[in-house]
Amino acid sequence: MKEKLNAIKEQAIAQIEAVSAQSAQALEKLNDIRVNYLGKKGELTALLKGMKDVAPEERPKVGQMVNDVRTEIEQVLEKATEKMKRAALAGRLSGEKIDVTLPAKMNVIGHRHPNTIALEEVERIFVGMGYEVVEGPEIEKDYYNFEALNIPADHPAKDEQDTFYITGDILLRTQTSGTQVHELEKGRLPIRMLAPGRVFRSDEVDATHSPCFHQIEGLVVDKGITFADLKGTLAEFARELFGEETKVKFRPHHFPFTEPSAEMDVTCFKCGGSGCRFCKGSGWIEILGCGMVHPHVLEMSGVDPEEYTGFAFGVGLERIALLKYEIDDMRLMYENDIRFLKQF
Ligand code: DAH
């Protein structure tokens, strides 16, 4: 019996050692060994079952021996399992090791578009003067884009603004001025509104043109509004946008929906008005169109021109952004090249 037990013990330990030497699935194999020797159907259990053949006075001694062998195998198994787990952990840790000296990957961070920055600046200035920011539709009826703005069917201004027509009567707006009409029709007076948005013209793309660009429309209608209000407001706008030293100049112009009409120039913020390459030597830069709302426009939208007067203006947003940030090609504004955008 003793020899048999010793043989079992040695065999078990030899197997445990052999398995411990290999790493793959070694833990599973160790478990197999445990089952083989110590399990319910294992060899030691079988020996205990054979106890009935042992003389009764021998039984306690043999039982003790079996238990000693069991304990010893258990201890060797335990140690081998421990060692193997530690080795597996060490292997995993070294595999997952992070090299903190490696250079980090650069994340590309988004930037606000110069158009957005310029628009927010313009909105801030006018909201500060009590204006409300509104939006008009980009798909518009001919009536709102032209007719209600005093541009009848045969008017040359209709040809000047090469229009994308959707049907004979529906078009992509060529200007934000139609928003004036929508606001007037609401019949809520007085009005102090700023209407930024996209406009569309079938222009070829080049450094100063794009088939889609942005305008900001302004409209004030109240009792007793005069050209002096227009001048004061727009001069203040120019000073806030381009600096306290900025001077403005109004040149007579023509727009069908305003009378009188003007274009406003500001002193070149690069040279201060003495003339440079930026302002093509003139010292002045044109930034917007404006005028007193034509009585006919007020009348068509149901506002009595005898009681109310107003002024309007239209600013090209890209133009403001290009000037403010000294960008010399409008195409850059639409390419979303992060190298360009991250400069703002
Ligand atoms: N809508 C004009 C254009 O696209 C710009 C403009 C000029 C708007 C004068 C106005 C204005 O409100 O008073 O060229």
Side-chain angles (χ1 to χ4, degrees), residues 192-210:
R192 258 180 208 81
M193 67 138 220
L194 200 66
R198 276 195 291 191
V199 299
F200 307 86
R201 294 182 194 180
S202 61
D203 281 329
E204 294 290 328
V205 175
D206 65 24
T208 54
H209 291 87
S210 160

Side-chain angles (χ1 to χ4, degrees), residues 8 30-49 66 70 73-74 77:
I8 291 178
L30 278 182
N31 199 45
D32 290 347
I33 295 173
R34 177 192 308 280
V35 173
N36 274 346
Y37 289 96
L38 311 177
K40 265 192 195 145
K41 292 179 180 151
E43 292 200 28
L44 279 183
T45 319
L47 262 188
L48 281 177
K49 278 180 187 154
V66 172
R70 165 182 283 276
I73 296 178
E74 267 172 358
L77 260 175

Side-chain angles (χ1 to χ4, degrees), residues 161 174-177 180 201 215 217-218 255 257-258 262 288-291 312-315:
Q161 303 187 353
T174 60
Q175 49 187 355
T176 46
S177 303
Q180 292 187 33
R201 294 182 194 180
Q215 289 185 333
E217 194 76 18
F255 297 107
F257 38 89
T258 46
L288 57 80
C290 58
F313 54 92
V315 187

Side-chain angles (χ1 to χ4, degrees), residues 6 22 54 64 85 104 130 137 163 165 187 240 271 279 281 309 312-313:
N6 264 336
Q22 343 161 323
V54 177
Q64 181 63 42
K85 278 187 179 162
T163 311
Y165 278 93
E240 287 210 38
C271 63
C279 55
T309 50
F313 54 92

